[in-house]
Amino acid sequence: MKRLFQALLITAVLIGTNLLAKDDRILIEAEEAVKLIGKPGVMFVSGDDDTAFENGHIKGSVSMYAHHLHHADIMGNMHCAPLFMCPEDAQKYIGAHGIDNDTIVIAYDNFRGPNATGVYTYFKSFGHEKVYILNGGMEAIKKVDPNQQKYNALKKKYKKAKKAARKAKKAGNKDEYKKLKAEANRYKKELKKLEKKLLIVKGAKKVDLGHHLHAVLAPEADIKPKKYHIDMKKIRYDIIAGKDEVYKAMKDILEKGEKSKYVIIDTRGMIEIIGERKLDNVARGGHIPGAKFIEWKNITDFKNKKSFKPLEELQKVFDKYGVKKDQTIYAYCHVGAGRSTEIITALELLGYKNIKVYTGSWDEWGNDMNLPIRR
Protein backbone atom coordinates (compact mmCIF):
# COMPACT_ATOMS: atom_id res chain seq x y z
CA MET A 1 0.00 0.00 0.00
CA LYS A 2 2.84 2.36 0.90
CA ARG A 3 4.57 1.72 -2.45
CA LEU A 4 1.30 2.29 -4.29
CA PHE A 5 0.82 5.64 -2.53
CA GLN A 6 4.38 6.71 -3.41
CA ALA A 7 3.88 5.73 -7.04
CA LEU A 8 0.65 7.71 -7.23
CA LEU A 9 2.35 10.71 -5.64
CA ILE A 10 5.23 10.62 -8.14
CA THR A 11 2.76 10.25 -11.00
CA ALA A 12 0.81 13.28 -9.79
CA VAL A 13 3.98 15.36 -9.62
CA LEU A 14 5.03 14.33 -13.12
CA ILE A 15 1.58 15.05 -14.55
CA GLY A 16 1.60 18.49 -12.93
CA THR A 17 5.04 19.41 -14.29
CA ASN A 18 4.24 18.00 -17.74
CA LEU A 19 1.11 20.11 -17.96
CA LEU A 20 3.13 23.17 -17.01
CA ALA A 21 5.80 22.31 -19.54
CA LYS A 22 3.20 22.33 -22.34
CA ASP A 23 1.74 25.63 -21.18
CA ASP A 24 2.50 28.71 -23.31
CA ARG A 25 2.03 31.13 -20.44
CA ILE A 26 4.70 33.65 -19.50
CA LEU A 27 3.69 34.16 -15.86
CA ILE A 28 2.97 31.68 -13.10
CA GLU A 29 1.18 32.81 -9.97
CA ALA A 30 2.39 31.96 -6.47
CA GLU A 31 -0.62 29.75 -5.68
CA GLU A 32 0.48 27.33 -8.40
CA ALA A 33 4.23 27.83 -8.11
CA VAL A 34 4.30 27.03 -4.39
CA LYS A 35 3.18 23.48 -5.19
CA LEU A 36 6.26 22.98 -7.38
CA ILE A 37 8.91 23.99 -4.83
CA GLY A 38 11.29 21.07 -4.35
CA LYS A 39 9.65 18.96 -7.04
CA PRO A 40 11.88 16.93 -9.41
CA GLY A 41 12.37 18.48 -12.82
CA VAL A 42 11.66 22.01 -11.56
CA MET A 43 14.23 24.67 -10.68
CA PHE A 44 13.47 28.08 -9.23
CA VAL A 45 16.12 30.56 -10.37
CA SER A 46 16.67 33.90 -8.65
CA GLY A 47 17.83 36.79 -10.81
CA ASP A 48 18.77 38.98 -7.83
CA ASP A 49 22.40 39.53 -6.83
CA ASP A 50 24.39 37.17 -4.63
CA THR A 51 23.93 39.21 -1.46
CA ALA A 52 20.17 39.44 -1.92
CA PHE A 53 20.02 35.68 -2.56
CA GLU A 54 21.96 34.98 0.62
CA ASN A 55 19.60 37.21 2.60
CA GLY A 56 16.52 35.42 1.33
CA HIS A 57 15.56 33.00 -1.44
CA ILE A 58 13.01 30.33 -2.28
CA LYS A 59 14.02 27.06 -0.64
CA GLY A 60 16.08 24.84 -2.92
CA SER A 61 16.53 27.50 -5.60
CA VAL A 62 19.69 28.74 -7.30
CA SER A 63 20.97 32.22 -8.15
CA MET A 64 21.81 33.48 -11.63
CA TYR A 65 22.29 37.23 -11.17
CA ALA A 66 20.70 38.90 -14.20
CA HIS A 67 23.39 41.60 -14.39
CA HIS A 68 26.04 38.92 -14.97
CA LEU A 69 24.11 37.03 -17.66
CA HIS A 70 25.34 39.62 -20.14
CA HIS A 71 28.90 38.35 -20.46
CA ALA A 72 31.14 41.16 -21.73
CA ASP A 73 34.77 42.03 -21.08
CA ILE A 74 35.92 45.16 -19.24
CA MET A 75 35.53 47.22 -22.42
CA GLY A 76 31.94 46.08 -22.99
CA ASN A 77 32.80 43.75 -25.86
CA MET A 78 30.32 40.92 -26.37
CA HIS A 79 32.39 38.07 -27.81
CA CYS A 80 29.43 36.11 -29.16
CA ALA A 81 27.00 38.98 -29.81
CA PRO A 82 24.08 39.15 -29.90
CA LEU A 83 24.07 36.14 -27.54
CA PHE A 84 24.19 36.91 -23.83
CA MET A 85 27.03 34.39 -23.46
CA CYS A 86 29.06 32.24 -25.79
CA PRO A 87 27.29 28.86 -26.08
CA GLU A 88 30.07 26.81 -24.44
CA ASP A 89 30.12 29.13 -21.42
CA ALA A 90 26.32 29.17 -21.22
CA GLN A 91 26.11 25.37 -21.34
CA LYS A 92 28.57 25.02 -18.47
CA TYR A 93 26.99 27.84 -16.50
CA ILE A 94 23.43 26.52 -16.79
CA GLY A 95 24.38 22.90 -16.17
CA ALA A 96 26.33 23.81 -13.02
CA HIS A 97 23.07 25.04 -11.51
CA GLY A 98 21.49 21.58 -11.78
CA ILE A 99 19.51 22.44 -14.91
CA ASP A 100 19.23 20.36 -18.06
CA ASN A 101 17.19 20.84 -21.23
CA ASP A 102 14.10 19.20 -19.73
CA THR A 103 14.10 21.26 -16.51
CA ILE A 104 11.17 23.58 -15.92
CA VAL A 105 12.74 26.91 -14.98
CA ILE A 106 10.78 29.38 -12.86
CA ALA A 107 12.55 32.74 -12.80
CA TYR A 108 11.96 35.09 -9.88
CA ASP A 109 13.32 38.07 -7.95
CA ASN A 110 12.16 40.06 -4.92
CA PHE A 111 8.96 41.04 -6.77
CA ARG A 112 9.88 43.95 -9.02
CA GLY A 113 10.42 41.95 -12.20
CA PRO A 114 13.59 43.17 -13.97
CA ASN A 115 15.95 40.50 -12.63
CA ALA A 116 13.38 37.73 -13.10
CA THR A 117 12.75 38.80 -16.70
CA GLY A 118 16.52 38.89 -17.26
CA VAL A 119 16.71 35.19 -16.36
CA TYR A 120 13.58 34.44 -18.37
CA THR A 121 14.90 36.12 -21.54
CA TYR A 122 18.36 34.57 -21.10
CA PHE A 123 16.92 31.03 -21.11
CA LYS A 124 14.41 31.82 -23.81
CA SER A 125 17.11 33.24 -26.10
CA PHE A 126 18.93 29.90 -26.01
CA GLY A 127 15.77 28.06 -27.03
CA HIS A 128 14.75 26.80 -23.57
CA GLU A 129 10.97 26.46 -23.88
CA LYS A 130 10.06 25.51 -20.32
CA VAL A 131 10.69 28.84 -18.62
CA TYR A 132 8.25 31.03 -16.67
CA ILE A 133 8.27 34.13 -14.48
CA LEU A 134 6.95 33.97 -10.93
CA ASN A 135 4.64 36.96 -10.77
CA GLY A 136 5.41 38.79 -7.54
CA GLY A 137 8.54 36.77 -6.79
CA MET A 138 9.47 36.05 -3.19
CA GLU A 139 6.88 38.46 -1.82
CA ALA A 140 4.12 36.46 -3.50
CA ILE A 141 5.44 33.20 -2.04
CA LYS A 142 5.53 34.75 1.43
CA LYS A 143 1.85 35.66 1.11
CA VAL A 144 0.78 32.07 0.36
CA ASP A 145 3.08 30.38 2.90
CA PRO A 146 1.00 29.79 6.09
CA ASN A 147 4.17 29.29 8.15
CA GLN A 148 5.41 32.68 6.99
CA GLN A 149 2.22 34.28 8.30
CA LYS A 150 2.70 32.57 11.66
CA TYR A 151 6.35 33.62 11.67
CA ASN A 152 5.52 37.26 10.94
CA ALA A 153 2.90 37.39 13.71
CA LEU A 154 5.25 35.73 16.19
CA LYS A 155 8.08 38.09 15.27
CA LYS A 156 5.89 41.08 16.15
CA LYS A 157 5.19 39.57 19.58
CA TYR A 158 8.90 38.89 20.07
CA LYS A 159 9.87 42.46 19.22
CA LYS A 160 7.13 43.85 21.45
CA ALA A 161 8.22 41.70 24.42
CA LYS A 162 11.87 42.55 23.84
CA LYS A 163 11.12 46.28 23.74
CA ALA A 164 8.98 46.05 26.90
CA ALA A 165 11.78 44.15 28.67
CA ARG A 166 14.25 46.92 27.89
CA LYS A 167 11.86 49.51 29.29
CA ALA A 168 11.31 47.49 32.47
CA LYS A 169 15.04 47.11 32.94
CA LYS A 170 15.60 50.82 32.45
CA ALA A 171 12.83 51.57 34.98
CA GLY A 172 14.49 49.24 37.52
CA ASN A 173 11.52 46.84 37.64
CA LYS A 174 13.46 43.56 38.00
CA ASP A 175 10.50 41.21 38.32
CA GLU A 176 8.77 42.63 35.26
CA TYR A 177 12.04 42.56 33.35
CA LYS A 178 12.62 38.86 34.14
CA LYS A 179 9.06 38.00 33.13
CA LEU A 180 9.27 39.87 29.81
CA LYS A 181 12.75 38.57 29.02
CA ALA A 182 11.54 34.98 29.55
CA GLU A 183 8.58 35.70 27.27
CA ALA A 184 10.86 37.12 24.57
CA ASN A 185 13.17 34.10 24.82
CA ARG A 186 10.20 31.76 24.44
CA TYR A 187 9.12 33.58 21.28
CA LYS A 188 12.69 33.44 19.99
CA LYS A 189 12.81 29.65 20.36
CA GLU A 190 9.47 29.31 18.57
CA LEU A 191 10.78 31.51 15.75
CA LYS A 192 13.83 29.25 15.36
CA LYS A 193 11.55 26.21 14.99
CA LEU A 194 9.35 27.96 12.44
CA GLU A 195 12.35 29.12 10.39
CA LYS A 196 13.00 25.50 9.36
CA LYS A 197 9.51 25.29 7.84
CA LEU A 198 9.62 28.54 5.85
CA LEU A 199 9.69 28.55 2.06
CA ILE A 200 11.88 31.66 2.04
CA VAL A 201 15.23 30.85 3.64
CA LYS A 202 18.70 32.38 4.04
CA GLY A 203 22.26 31.36 3.18
CA ALA A 204 24.25 30.54 0.04
CA LYS A 205 27.28 28.67 -1.24
CA LYS A 206 29.40 29.69 -4.20
CA VAL A 207 30.97 27.38 -6.79
CA ASP A 208 33.75 28.74 -9.02
CA LEU A 209 33.20 27.83 -12.68
CA GLY A 210 36.22 29.65 -14.12
CA HIS A 211 36.12 32.24 -16.93
CA HIS A 212 34.87 34.82 -14.38
CA LEU A 213 31.72 32.78 -13.79
CA HIS A 214 30.40 31.21 -10.61
CA ALA A 215 27.30 29.33 -9.51
CA VAL A 216 25.44 30.43 -6.39
CA LEU A 217 23.39 27.66 -4.80
CA ALA A 218 21.19 27.27 -1.75
CA PRO A 219 23.29 25.68 1.03
CA GLU A 220 20.58 23.16 1.86
CA ALA A 221 20.14 22.06 -1.76
CA ASP A 222 21.84 18.86 -2.91
CA ILE A 223 22.25 20.02 -6.49
CA LYS A 224 24.25 17.90 -8.92
CA PRO A 225 25.69 19.49 -12.09
CA LYS A 226 23.84 18.42 -15.21
CA LYS A 227 24.61 18.38 -18.91
CA TYR A 228 22.98 21.22 -20.80
CA HIS A 229 23.08 21.40 -24.59
CA ILE A 230 22.38 24.48 -26.70
CA ASP A 231 21.07 23.64 -30.16
CA MET A 232 22.37 26.44 -32.40
CA LYS A 233 19.35 25.95 -34.67
CA LYS A 234 16.99 26.77 -31.79
CA ILE A 235 18.62 30.02 -30.69
CA ARG A 236 15.97 32.76 -30.66
CA TYR A 237 17.60 35.47 -32.75
CA ASP A 238 14.11 36.91 -33.17
CA ILE A 239 14.16 38.21 -29.57
CA ILE A 240 17.77 39.45 -29.28
CA ALA A 241 19.66 42.10 -31.21
CA GLY A 242 23.23 43.33 -31.66
CA LYS A 243 24.55 46.86 -32.08
CA ASP A 244 24.55 46.78 -35.90
CA GLU A 245 20.84 46.03 -35.98
CA VAL A 246 20.07 48.74 -33.42
CA TYR A 247 22.28 51.22 -35.29
CA LYS A 248 20.27 50.58 -38.47
CA ALA A 249 17.03 51.20 -36.56
CA MET A 250 18.47 54.40 -35.05
CA LYS A 251 19.35 55.80 -38.49
CA ASP A 252 15.82 55.09 -39.74
CA ILE A 253 14.28 56.78 -36.68
CA LEU A 254 16.45 59.87 -37.07
CA GLU A 255 15.48 60.10 -40.76
CA LYS A 256 11.74 59.36 -40.49
CA GLY A 257 10.85 60.26 -36.90
CA GLU A 258 7.45 58.95 -35.77
CA LYS A 259 6.88 57.45 -39.23
CA SER A 260 9.75 54.99 -38.72
CA LYS A 261 8.92 51.31 -38.54
CA TYR A 262 11.34 51.04 -35.63
CA VAL A 263 11.24 52.03 -31.97
CA ILE A 264 14.19 52.07 -29.57
CA ILE A 265 13.26 52.20 -25.88
CA ASP A 266 15.69 53.33 -23.19
CA THR A 267 14.44 51.74 -19.97
CA ARG A 268 16.92 53.34 -17.57
CA GLY A 269 16.45 56.23 -15.17
CA MET A 270 16.86 59.83 -16.31
CA ILE A 271 20.15 60.28 -14.43
CA GLU A 272 21.68 57.63 -16.73
CA ILE A 273 19.90 58.84 -19.84
CA ILE A 274 21.33 62.37 -19.55
CA GLY A 275 24.78 60.92 -18.87
CA GLU A 276 25.14 62.20 -15.32
CA ARG A 277 25.57 58.67 -13.97
CA LYS A 278 27.72 55.92 -15.51
CA LEU A 279 27.73 52.31 -14.30
CA ASP A 280 30.59 49.82 -14.21
CA ASN A 281 33.39 50.63 -16.65
CA VAL A 282 31.37 52.33 -19.37
CA ALA A 283 33.37 55.13 -21.00
CA ARG A 284 30.53 57.51 -21.93
CA GLY A 285 27.24 58.46 -20.39
CA GLY A 286 24.14 59.33 -22.41
CA HIS A 287 21.64 57.53 -24.62
CA ILE A 288 21.09 56.24 -28.15
CA PRO A 289 19.88 59.06 -30.43
CA GLY A 290 16.18 58.80 -31.26
CA ALA A 291 15.33 56.55 -28.30
CA LYS A 292 12.05 56.88 -26.41
CA PHE A 293 12.38 57.05 -22.62
CA ILE A 294 10.13 54.54 -20.84
CA GLU A 295 11.61 53.73 -17.45
CA TRP A 296 11.06 50.17 -16.25
CA LYS A 297 9.29 51.46 -13.13
CA ASN A 298 6.25 52.16 -15.33
CA ILE A 299 5.77 48.40 -15.64
CA THR A 300 6.01 47.06 -12.07
CA ASP A 301 2.92 47.04 -9.83
CA PHE A 302 4.60 48.43 -6.71
CA LYS A 303 1.32 48.89 -4.83
CA ASN A 304 0.42 45.18 -4.95
CA LYS A 305 4.03 43.94 -5.13
CA LYS A 306 3.53 42.26 -8.49
CA SER A 307 6.06 42.07 -11.30
CA PHE A 308 3.62 43.60 -13.80
CA LYS A 309 0.71 46.01 -13.70
CA PRO A 310 -2.64 44.81 -15.11
CA LEU A 311 -2.58 44.53 -18.92
CA GLU A 312 -4.89 47.49 -19.50
CA GLU A 313 -2.56 49.73 -17.49
CA LEU A 314 0.49 48.44 -19.36
CA GLN A 315 -1.16 49.15 -22.69
CA LYS A 316 -1.80 52.75 -21.64
CA VAL A 317 1.91 53.18 -20.94
CA PHE A 318 2.95 52.15 -24.45
CA ASP A 319 0.07 54.00 -26.09
CA LYS A 320 1.20 57.16 -24.31
CA TYR A 321 4.62 56.89 -25.95
CA GLY A 322 3.28 55.88 -29.35
CA VAL A 323 4.68 52.33 -29.38
CA LYS A 324 2.70 50.43 -32.01
CA LYS A 325 2.28 46.70 -32.59
CA ASP A 326 3.30 46.93 -36.27
CA GLN A 327 6.71 48.35 -35.38
CA THR A 328 9.95 46.51 -34.62
CA ILE A 329 10.84 47.41 -31.06
CA TYR A 330 14.24 47.33 -29.38
CA ALA A 331 14.75 47.88 -25.66
CA TYR A 332 18.01 48.46 -23.84
CA CYS A 333 19.27 49.26 -20.34
CA HIS A 334 22.82 48.95 -19.04
CA VAL A 335 23.47 45.26 -19.68
CA GLY A 336 20.41 44.02 -21.58
CA ALA A 337 19.23 41.64 -18.85
CA GLY A 338 17.01 43.40 -16.34
CA ARG A 339 15.27 46.70 -16.95
CA SER A 340 15.12 46.23 -20.72
CA THR A 341 13.80 42.68 -20.42
CA GLU A 342 11.08 43.96 -18.07
CA ILE A 343 9.86 46.23 -20.88
CA ILE A 344 10.19 43.54 -23.55
CA THR A 345 8.30 41.00 -21.44
CA ALA A 346 5.51 43.50 -20.79
CA LEU A 347 5.19 43.96 -24.56
CA GLU A 348 5.12 40.17 -24.98
CA LEU A 349 2.30 39.94 -22.43
CA LEU A 350 0.39 42.51 -24.49
CA GLY A 351 0.77 40.49 -27.68
CA TYR A 352 3.47 42.56 -29.43
CA LYS A 353 5.41 40.32 -31.82
CA ASN A 354 8.42 42.19 -33.21
CA ILE A 355 10.21 42.83 -29.92
CA LYS A 356 13.91 42.46 -29.18
CA VAL A 357 16.27 43.18 -26.33
CA TYR A 358 19.59 44.78 -27.25
CA THR A 359 21.84 42.41 -25.30
CA GLY A 360 24.90 44.64 -25.42
CA SER A 361 22.92 47.67 -24.23
CA TRP A 362 24.72 50.74 -22.89
CA ASP A 363 27.67 48.70 -21.62
CA GLU A 364 28.53 47.98 -25.26
CA TRP A 365 27.19 51.12 -26.96
CA GLY A 366 28.71 53.56 -24.48
CA ASN A 367 32.13 51.94 -24.82
CA ASP A 368 32.17 51.95 -28.64
CA MET A 369 33.58 55.32 -29.68
CA ASN A 370 32.37 54.76 -33.26
CA LEU A 371 28.72 54.88 -32.15
CA PRO A 372 26.87 58.19 -31.71
CA ILE A 373 25.38 59.23 -28.37
CA ARG A 374 23.22 62.02 -27.03
CA ARG A 375 22.96 63.52 -23.57
Side-chain angles (χ1 to χ4, degrees), residues 343-362:
I343 291 285
I344 288 298
T345 307
L347 289 166
E348 186 183 3
L349 285 167
L350 291 169
Y352 286 70
K353 300 298 182 185
N354 302 314
I355 48 177
K356 295 189 173 189
V357 60
Y358 170 27
T359 54
S361 279
W362 195 253

Side-chain angles (χ1 to χ4, degrees), residues 23 107 254:
D23 202 325
L254 293 178

Side-chain angles (χ1 to χ4, degrees), residues 75-77 243-244 247 281-284 358 361-373:
M75 297 304 293
N77 297 312
K243 63 183 177 182
D244 292 341
Y247 180 76
N281 299 295
V282 70
R284 305 177 295 169
Y358 170 27
S361 279
W362 195 253
D363 184 43
E364 180 180 53
W365 193 282
N367 275 311
D368 190 337
M369 299 302 173
N370 295 312
L371 296 173
I373 66 169

Side-chain angles (χ1 to χ4, degrees), residues 277-314:
R277 183 188 182 200
K278 296 187 295 181
L279 300 178
D280 300 334
N281 299 295
V282 70
R284 305 177 295 169
H287 60 270
I288 297 174
K292 293 179 183 288
F293 309 137
I294 308 178
E295 190 174 2
W296 70 273
K297 290 180 180 179
N298 288 286
I299 304 304
T300 304
D301 185 349
F302 287 95
K303 182 180 177 181
N304 297 303
K305 291 190 175 181
K306 289 286 187 178
S307 308
F308 298 91
K309 290 178 180 176
L311 295 184
E312 59 270 20
E313 291 185 36
L314 290 179

Side-chain angles (χ1 to χ4, degrees), residues 4 24 63 122 204 262 299 362:
L4 177 61
D24 60 358
S63 172
Y122 172 82
Y262 301 107
I299 304 304
W362 195 253

Side-chain angles (χ1 to χ4, degrees), residues 138-153:
M138 284 198 302
E139 290 299 322
I141 293 296
K142 286 179 181 179
K143 288 179 181 178
V144 299
D145 181 3
N147 287 315
Q148 186 72 56
Q149 308 313 313
K150 292 177 186 177
Y151 184 86
N152 294 344

Side-chain angles (χ1 to χ4, degrees), residues 181-192:
K181 187 178 180 181
E183 185 181 345
N185 286 337
R186 188 172 69 253
Y187 288 143
K188 189 176 182 179
K189 287 180 182 179
E190 290 179 36
L191 284 170
K192 285 287 184 182

Side-chain angles (χ1 to χ4, degrees), residues 71-324:
H71 199 212
D73 62 25
I74 196 169
M75 297 304 293
N77 297 312
M78 301 277 288
H79 298 294
C80 293
L83 302 181
F84 284 103
M85 283 183 188
C86 292
E88 286 186 9
D89 288 337
Q91 287 176 159
K92 183 179 180 182
Y93 182 68
I94 295 170
H97 290 82
I99 298 169
D100 60 25
N101 294 77
D102 294 321
T103 302
I104 294 171
V105 174
I106 300 178
Y108 76 95
D109 53 22
N110 51 9
F111 78 85
R112 292 178 175 84
N115 288 336
T117 59
V119 171
Y120 167 77
T121 307
Y122 172 82
F123 273 95
K124 194 176 175 185
S125 70
F126 285 118
H128 195 98
E129 297 176 359
K130 306 168 188 178
V131 56
Y132 306 89
I133 298 166
L134 173 56
N135 193 15
M138 284 198 302
E139 290 299 322
I141 293 296
K142 286 179 181 179
K143 288 179 181 178
V144 299
D145 181 3
N147 287 315
Q148 186 72 56
Q149 308 313 313
K150 292 177 186 177
Y151 184 86
N152 294 344
L154 195 60
K155 196 170 185 178
K156 286 182 181 179
K157 291 181 180 180
Y158 167 67
K159 287 183 176 180
K160 186 178 179 180
K162 194 176 179 181
K163 185 178 179 181
R166 284 198 302 265
K167 284 185 178 181
K169 185 178 182 181
K170 192 175 181 180
N173 193 336
K174 292 182 179 180
D175 292 337
E176 185 67 11
Y177 167 68
K178 287 180 181 180
K179 177 186 173 183
L180 290 167
K181 187 178 180 181
E183 185 181 345
N185 286 337
R186 188 172 69 253
Y187 288 143
K188 189 176 182 179
K189 287 180 182 179
E190 290 179 36
L191 284 170
K192 285 287 184 182
K193 289 180 182 178
L194 266 177
E195 275 181 7
K196 297 177 182 179
K197 299 178 181 179
L198 298 179
L199 295 176
I200 302 298
V201 296
K202 295 182 180 182
K205 59 183 177 183
K206 187 179 290 188
V207 179
D208 186 9
L209 303 178
H211 303 288
H212 306 290
L213 293 172
H214 61 267
V216 179
L217 316 174
E220 76 281 356
D222 183 22
I223 295 172
K224 300 288 191 300
K226 292 186 177 181
K227 185 177 180 180
Y228 191 88
H229 174 68
I230 293 173
D231 185 342
M232 300 302 290
K233 294 178 181 178
K234 293 183 178 180
I235 289 178
R236 296 287 306 275
Y237 287 105
D238 60 317
I239 63 171
I240 54 177
K243 63 183 177 182
D244 292 341
E245 190 175 342
V246 177
Y247 180 76
K248 178 184 175 182
M250 178 205 71
K251 285 176 58 178
D252 194 79
I253 291 167
L254 293 178
E255 180 185 340
K256 300 175 183 176
E258 291 298 320
K259 293 182 180 180
S260 175
K261 62 180 179 180
Y262 301 107
V263 175
I264 299 173
I265 301 174
D266 191 320
T267 67
R268 302 171 299 162
M270 193 54 65
I271 196 170
E272 292 174 77
I273 288 168
I274 64 176
E276 188 174 327
R277 183 188 182 200
K278 296 187 295 181
L279 300 178
D280 300 334
N281 299 295
V282 70
R284 305 177 295 169
H287 60 270
I288 297 174
K292 293 179 183 288
F293 309 137
I294 308 178
E295 190 174 2
W296 70 273
K297 290 180 180 179
N298 288 286
I299 304 304
T300 304
D301 185 349
F302 287 95
K303 182 180 177 181
N304 297 303
K305 291 190 175 181
K306 289 286 187 178
S307 308
F308 298 91
K309 290 178 180 176
L311 295 184
E312 59 270 20
E313 291 185 36
L314 290 179
Q315 189 63 64
K316 287 178 183 177
V317 171
F318 295 110
D319 288 345
K320 177 183 176 182
Y321 290 94
V323 180
K324 303 179 182 67

